Amino acid sequence: MSQAESETKLSPVEGIKETSDYLRGSIAEELAQPTDAFAKPTTQLIKFHGSYQQDDRENRDRSVEGKKSTKDYIFMVRCRMPGGRLTSHQLVSLLEIGEELANSTVRLTTRQGVQFHGVKKDGLRPTIRRINEIALSTKNACGDVCRNVMATPVPIKKPYYDEVQRLADSLALRFEAKSKGYYEIWLRDPDGAAPDLLVGGTEEEDVEPIYGKVYLPRKFKIVVGFAFDNSVDLYAHEIGLMAIVQDEKIIGYNVIVGGSFGVTPANKKTFPAVGKRMCFVTPDQVEEVCEAIVKVQRDFGNREDRKLARMKYLIASWGLERFRSKVEEYYGAALADCHAEDVTGHDDGMGWREQGDGKFFYGLNVENGRLYDDEKIRWKAAIREICAKYDCPVRITPHQSLIFCDLPAEARQVIYDILDRQGVPRTESISTVRRWSMACVALPTCGLAITESERALPEIISELEPKLTELGLENETFTVRSTGCPNGCARPYNSDVGIVGKAKDRYTLFLGGSVLGHRLNFIYKDLVPRETLVDEIAYVLAYFKQHRDGGESFGDFCARKGKDDLLAWTAEKFPAANGKA
Ligand code: SRM
Ligand code: SF4
């Protein structure tokens, strides 16, 4: 009897994984059929290969051949690149793939990855092949495995910056799913017209030494960053590795465990969590300790209820001490307590900067990560010109933006000219609040979106900008993160301002997080209509302006005052704010 059958309460996805022959299932057979969608169990499996079956949610009323049709199926394809690193050639090729096989846009993600939208079922194999041809992959981008490993993207030429990028690569390799099903399905041309891109042959039996047959209970996320640069949001993932630098060398890592943000408000057992500081490990220990943590979650994480399957729930039910003991048992030795260091900064890498070796980098703020060309703004054209001219390394940041690296001094004006000609806003020309904002994808592709996010945030920021200027707060740095549902893909639960879709055109407004990302914010008001959202934020900003303590940040101010005080003050000063929640 299979494991799935013997434990009747396992979630259906566990059964699908177990009987899939290491993630193959019937993907290949269904790909060969002239249908526009996969059967339900297969939609679960293709996630492990980097794709989600979606439908164009704005095309649900269409009729095909006179009949009310089924959904207009499209696929999201996600590729991952540890630490967000790309070559110019790869970036330009991704733009081409987006144009030829997807909806012509390319989406930079909050985990330093890239997504395509609008791929058709018969375009999936060509898309995934093309991605592999440029030495990128869609493996481990989605599914119950370790996802894209993030790392501090700023290309400062110091050995310890390179070291965190190397660690991200090494962890990505260690935790890559080993099943050859991926290669068989996507990289072997069934018609034999194109060469096999198979790697490693297919004869041996598949072995997943870390994951086993049923992989992990749920997605698992690892990031590597610094206390002085927490751009990767060390506290928001299953494992945050905080590199401790002394005398220009990494002496080890504080290991932060059990962060993650998904929450289902109707299910009171779910919650967003910032990670807990568990232990300090040396560079020699770090990978093995990560493996021990992954295996503990593999063996003890909840496989019955996917809503409670992230590692934070295991830690919440066991307590940190018991969890740590189990990790020590799996690792085979006791672990040291955390180094005292904690987060102190966040470098978003934007603008023109010297990188430490006489060369420069330019951080280009891409609003909500969407690369497109239209009459006004031609992101893709600008990127193509910059990449053709400098053939430079590129990095995607955890704030959905791009950094062009290794540039000569004279590139500054050349890049400005290119951006100006293509209508792309220079990073230096956009407001501070826009620069520090980000939104998840949401409508029209995300199947879980309740309301707008990526398409709504630019306007929300445009409304907020004059209010900030009126208050003299236009240079104030605070994060504004928006999502179209409570799943938290733009990490809205540790930002200064979190705007989370709750019902159509209504948002939960969170306040009191911080640019440093080390604490959760709190619900300030729920179900705020879109049209009063900016006013609600502006009322609190007015309070902040008048009563902040010295250089206190907006998030710190809100956290210090607390919800009741903020509500009382704004209700008194701005009667319009009353009763809106
Ligand atoms: Fe996410 C599900 C988009 C980062 C928490 N996320 C989804 C799906 C696949 C919707 C679905 O399941 O059908 C979204 C695809 C929308 C679309 O049309 O493209 C989606 N998530 C994204 C991206 C593209 C948002 C973005 O605007 O950049 C990010 C892709 C990152 C990548 O390259 O891998 C993205 N998602 C995140 C993050 C942030 C992070 O990882 O740093 C989170 C919060 C941290 C965390 O994991 O808790 C996040 N996404 C979720 C969740 C909630 C998981 C949970 O524990 O409950 C879901 C829903 C789920 O898994 O059931 C989800
Ligand atoms: Fe979709 Fe919700 Fe994630 Fe936004 S937060 S991309 S709406 S799942």
Side-chain angles (χ1 to χ4, degrees):
M1 192 188 286
S2 72
Q3 185 188 337
E5 284 159 349
S6 66
E7 294 178 37
T8 47
K9 277 173 25 206
L10 289 182
S11 92
V13 177
E14 291 301 313
I16 294 171
K17 286 186 276 186
E18 204 197 351
T19 54
S20 72
D21 183 20
Y22 292 100
L23 310 177
R24 291 175 179 84
S26 57
I27 299 176
E29 292 77 3
E30 290 186 44
L31 262 181
Q33 290 161 8
T35 54
D36 55 0
F38 290 99
K40 222 168 174 195
T42 309
T43 61
Q44 291 298 334
L45 281 182
I46 60 167
K47 295 180 187 177
F48 288 81
H49 298 251
S51 180
Y52 273 69
Q53 181 166 304
Q54 303 181 316
D55 75 290
D56 180 347
R57 295 182 57 180
E58 282 171 345
N59 206 10
R60 282 188 174 168
D61 293 332
R62 73 190 183 137
S63 65
V64 172
E65 290 164 5
K67 282 187 248 143
K68 189 100 172 129
S69 150
T70 56
K71 293 172 175 172
D72 180 4
Y73 287 107
I74 48 176
F75 292 80
M76 178 269 272
V77 176
R78 184 184 289 166
C79 36
R80 50 100 180 164
M81 45 286 295
R85 278 193 326 283
L86 288 172
T87 62
S88 272
H89 172 69
Q90 286 170 327
L91 179 56
V92 170
S93 303
L94 290 171
L95 299 180
E96 276 162 17
I97 296 169
E99 283 161 4
E100 289 164 30
L101 291 153
N103 69 359
S104 115
T105 73
V106 165
R107 181 60 154 66
L108 311 175
T109 76
T110 53
R111 288 196 75 73
Q112 301 179 288
V114 161
Q115 281 190 183
F116 299 107
H117 291 105
V119 177
K120 290 292 183 183
K121 180 167 164 266
D122 60 7
L124 274 177
R125 186 179 275 128
T127 304
I128 294 177
R129 269 187 80 93
R130 289 275 296 277
I131 289 166
N132 278 269
E133 279 166 0
I134 52 167
L136 293 174
S137 182
T138 63
K139 245 185 168 187
N140 287 64
C142 315
D144 298 343
V145 288
C146 293
R147 304 285 188 92
N148 195 31
V149 183
M150 295 166 71
T152 308
V154 181
I156 305 283
K157 294 293 169 199
K158 298 242 187 204
Y160 47 90
Y161 278 89
D162 292 342
E163 185 66 32
V164 296
Q165 286 284 341
R166 265 201 303 277
L167 180 57
D169 279 346
S170 191
L171 290 167
L173 200 61
R174 177 179 285 252
F175 294 116
E176 191 173 81
K178 305 285 185 277
S179 169
K180 296 191 180 66
Y182 180 84
Y183 301 100
E184 292 163 18
I185 294 166
W186 307 107
L187 306 185
R188 174 187 282 161
D189 182 2
D191 306 325
D196 271 4
L197 294 182
L198 276 171
V199 178
T202 57
E203 300 308 316
E204 316 153 34
E205 199 190 329
D206 278 312
V207 184
E208 291 282 10
I210 295 178
Y211 296 128
K213 236 181 162 183
V214 284
Y215 294 81
L216 298 179
R218 207 59 165 88
K219 56 177 79 166
F220 194 101
K221 300 182 173 178
I222 306 179
V223 301
V224 195
F226 297 106
F228 52 82
D229 177 3
N230 187 23
S231 48
V232 295
D233 255 334
L234 285 157
Y235 282 90
H237 313 268
E238 263 77 16
I239 303 181
L241 298 172
M242 179 192 290
I244 308 295
V245 180
Q246 274 177 13
D247 300 327
E248 304 280 302
K249 273 183 72 176
I250 294 178
I251 56 156
Y253 299 85
N254 277 344
V255 181
I256 298 160
V257 292
S260 69
F261 281 175
V263 61
T264 307
N267 181 341
K268 296 297 167 215
K269 290 183 181 159
T270 66
F271 52 82
V274 286
K276 296 184 190 313
R277 294 160 65 86
M278 185 175 77
C279 61
F280 173 82
V281 295
T282 63
D284 290 347
Q285 295 177 307
V286 63
E287 290 197 38
E288 292 292 330
V289 170
C290 286
E291 187 169 321
I293 296 169
V294 169
K295 286 178 171 168
V296 169
Q297 160 68 357
R298 176 196 67 190
D299 294 348
F300 299 96
N302 184 329
R303 290 185 186 261
E304 296 169 8
D305 182 348
R306 288 181 66 78
K307 293 235 175 279
L308 303 176
R310 299 292 294 272
M311 198 170 78
K312 65 184 165 190
Y313 298 110
L314 180 63
I315 296 176
S317 79
W318 279 7
L320 185 63
E321 276 322 299
R322 179 172 165 200
F323 180 81
R324 175 174 163 167
S325 302
K326 192 52 88 180
V327 171
E328 289 174 332
E329 184 189 317
Y330 272 54
Y331 173 64
L335 296 165
D337 287 343
C338 273
H339 188 281
E341 204 163 293
D342 204 354
V343 290
T344 51
H346 178 155
D347 185 353
D348 69 349
M350 292 296 97
W352 181 262
R353 305 238 302 263
E354 214 268 333
Q355 59 185 31
D357 60 353
K359 293 185 180 161
F360 296 80
F361 67 85
Y362 184 66
L364 176 64
N365 190 282
V366 180
E367 188 158 30
N368 301 324
R370 184 70 69 178
L371 302 175
Y372 58 90
D373 282 353
D374 68 13
E375 314 76 57
K376 270 172 57 194
I377 305 187
R378 291 167 299 281
W379 293 98
K380 294 189 295 175
I383 288 167
R384 283 185 158 112
E385 276 198 58
I386 295 169
C387 289
K389 178 122 190 101
Y390 295 107
D391 193 19
C392 53
V394 185
R395 291 186 185 180
I396 301 170
T397 76
H399 254 245
Q400 306 166 316
S401 289
L402 287 174
I403 302 178
F404 298 95
C405 316
D406 294 358
L407 298 165
E410 61 273 18
R412 181 179 193 163
Q413 194 53 47
V414 176
I415 289 178
Y416 287 161
D417 291 345
I418 292 172
L419 297 178
D420 294 351
R421 189 156 22 79
Q422 300 297 357
V424 171
R426 298 182 190 183
T427 297
E428 297 80 349
S429 73
I430 63 171
S431 64
T432 308
V433 65
R434 199 175 295 274
R435 166 172 165 178
W436 287 91
S437 71
M438 64 177 178
C440 75
V441 177
L443 295 170
T445 55
C446 179
L448 305 178
I450 297 168
T451 194
E452 298 285 352
S453 181
E454 180 186 322
R455 298 191 300 194
L457 190 64
E459 191 55 36
I460 290 172
I461 298 291
S462 296
E463 289 173 28
L464 204 48
E465 281 167 342
K467 300 203 183 268
L468 284 161
T469 308
E470 247 170 64
L471 290 165
L473 293 173
E474 67 275 21
N475 296 322
E476 200 63 34
T477 298
F478 60 94
T479 43
V480 180
R481 297 178 177 176
S482 143
T483 58
C485 84
N487 279 314
C489 296
R491 298 189 293 273
Y493 300 124
N494 61 352
S495 54
D496 297 74
V497 178
I499 300 171
V500 174
K502 183 72 177 295
K504 189 173 167 12
D505 296 329
R506 284 175 183 261
Y507 297 85
T508 310
L509 181 55
F510 290 79
L511 296 175
S514 118
V515 174
L516 297 182
H518 59 323
R519 66 166 178 251
L520 290 175
N521 46 26
F522 57 82
I523 295 180
Y524 171 63
K525 287 195 176 183
D526 200 10
L527 289 169
V528 181
R530 162 66 188 88
E531 58 279 13
T532 57
L533 192 56
V534 174
D535 283 341
E536 293 292 353
I537 301 169
Y539 299 148
V540 187
L541 282 164
Y543 187 19
F544 168 63
K545 171 73 183 176
Q546 289 175 37
H547 295 272
R548 75 192 291 187
D549 201 355
E552 186 177 41
S553 74
F554 183 49
D556 287 352
F557 170 81
C558 292
R560 175 168 65 82
K561 290 288 183 186
K563 174 178 174 165
D564 291 345
D565 178 87
L566 298 182
L567 284 171
W569 193 90
T570 52
E572 191 197 325
K573 303 285 175 195
F574 300 99
N578 256 330
K580 284 278 162 60

